[in-house]
């Protein structure tokens, strides 16, 4: 049985990714700054550590066969402390790829649709420190393939939503789903048209990437299901009967209409989850968690 190191594994994307990896028969080791053991399933090995610590990353990857790299700071945290954002997102990723180089391991990692500016959906031109750092990570991955043959797959999802504790401004839709279920008001703090990417779709593709044979340094845009924010809120109200979710704030500085890149056939089938199905799945999982408490 192969073992996969998941950096930032106890986070929002990490938890469903771990579930996918375990379902595929992989062992999992989580490397996290502040691991939330209660959020992880039985059988997961947990190592506490900082991704900016090269020695700690190198030690954590010992005995692993692949890496899913999710550790990083999001948009708001990067804007608040750009130096720390660069240290965690850029230097932390260098440490991950260096550890992968030493052991010739494949890497699947998260970039962001925030590498694009608002007016060009083809050529990256990030308008946030977060987007700048993630574009740098894509460059790091490319160089490690060209110079050291470290294969990788980076994903550029738009707004990732679903059940769980997300963070940053992009967490608005996920927070709204949980609030609607609890019959509590919530505000999504950006407006406009966005691509809604269900978190399970991201997890499925990350797990597929390290389960198969990666080659090159590929990056895929995940636009998800594109809708106006009002459409998302209306669908959430239809499914829950709760209408106290509001929208305020400017549109994101990302193109309103992105196009998803085709997933290479060797990674399997990866259909896009429509917002109606994604909201339904998230509500079902949150209800099941509540019953289990």
């Amino acid at each position: 049985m192969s073992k996969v190191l998941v950096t930032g594994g106890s986070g929002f994307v990490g938890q469903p990714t771990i579930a996918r990896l375990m379902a595929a028969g992989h062992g999992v080791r989580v490397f996290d700054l502040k691991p939330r053991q209660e959020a992880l399933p039985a059988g997961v090995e947990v190592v506490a550590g900082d991704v900016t610590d090269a020695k700690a990353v190198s030690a954590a990857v010992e005995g692993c066969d692949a890496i899913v790299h999710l550790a990083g700071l999001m948009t708001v945290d990067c804007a608040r402390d750009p130096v720390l954002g660069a240290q965690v997102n850029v230097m932390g990723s260098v440490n991950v790829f260096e550890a992968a180089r030493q052991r010739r391991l494949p890497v699947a990692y998260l970039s962001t649709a925030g590498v694009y500016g608002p007016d060009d959906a083809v050529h990256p031109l990030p308008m946030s420190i977060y987007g700048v750092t993630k574009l740098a990570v894509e460059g790091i991955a490319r160089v490690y393939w060209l110079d050291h043959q470290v294969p990788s797959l980076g994903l550029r999802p738009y707004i990732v939503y679903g059940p769980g504790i997300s963070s940053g401004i992009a967490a608005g839709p996920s927070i709204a789903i949980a609030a609607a279920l609890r019959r509590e008001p919530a505000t999504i703090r950006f407006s406009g048209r966005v691509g809604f990417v269900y978190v399970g779709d991201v997890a499925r593709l990350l797990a597929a990437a390290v389960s198969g044979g990666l080659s090159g340094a590929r990056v895929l845009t995940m636009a998800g299901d594109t809708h106006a924010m009002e459409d998302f809120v209306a669908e959430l109200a239809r499914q829950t009967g709760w209408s106290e979710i509001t929208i305020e704030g400017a549109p994101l500085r990302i193109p309103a209409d992105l196009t998803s890149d085709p997933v290479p056939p060797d990674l399997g089938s990866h259909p896009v989850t429509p917002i109606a199905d994604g909201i339904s799945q998230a509500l079902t999982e949150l209800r099941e968690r509540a019953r289990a408490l």
Side-chain angles (χ1 to χ4, degrees), residues 136-187:
V137 176
E138 294 180 15
I140 290 163
R142 184 169 58 253
V143 169
Y144 268 82
W145 168 251
L146 293 172
D147 289 355
H148 309 294
Q149 292 72 60
V150 175
S152 62
L153 177 70
L155 302 182
R156 293 171 171 173
Y158 209 138
I159 295 298
V160 182
Y161 73 99
I165 302 172
S166 185
S167 62
I169 191 170
S174 300
I175 292 170
I177 291 172
L181 193 60
R182 297 191 305 266
R183 294 295 194 265
E184 296 176 0
T187 300

Side-chain angles (χ1 to χ4, degrees), residues 50-54 57 69 83-98 133 136-137 140 144:
D50 191 333
V51 75
T52 65
D53 183 340
V57 174
H69 177 39
V83 173
L84 183 60
Q87 289 172 340
V88 173
N89 292 357
V90 180
M91 289 309 303
S93 296
V94 170
N95 292 338
V96 167
F97 274 90
E98 184 62 15
T133 64
V137 176
I140 290 163
Y144 268 82

Side-chain angles (χ1 to χ4, degrees), residues 159-214:
I159 295 298
V160 182
Y161 73 99
I165 302 172
S166 185
S167 62
I169 191 170
S174 300
I175 292 170
I177 291 172
L181 193 60
R182 297 191 305 266
R183 294 295 194 265
E184 296 176 0
T187 300
I188 298 172
R189 301 198 179 278
F190 59 94
S191 57
R193 285 175 60 82
V194 301
F196 292 92
V197 182
Y198 188 64
V199 67
D201 293 0
V202 179
R204 184 179 63 235
L205 192 44
L206 289 169
V210 294
S211 296
L214 283 181

Side-chain angles (χ1 to χ4, degrees), residues 25-44:
H26 298 290
V28 174
R29 177 183 296 156
V30 166
F31 180 77
D32 216 319
L33 183 62
K34 296 179 180 179
R36 295 188 298 119
Q37 187 79 52
E38 72 281 0
L40 300 172
V44 173

Side-chain angles (χ1 to χ4, degrees), residues 123 130 146 170 233 259:
H123 305 99
Y130 175 64
L146 293 172
V233 170
T259 300

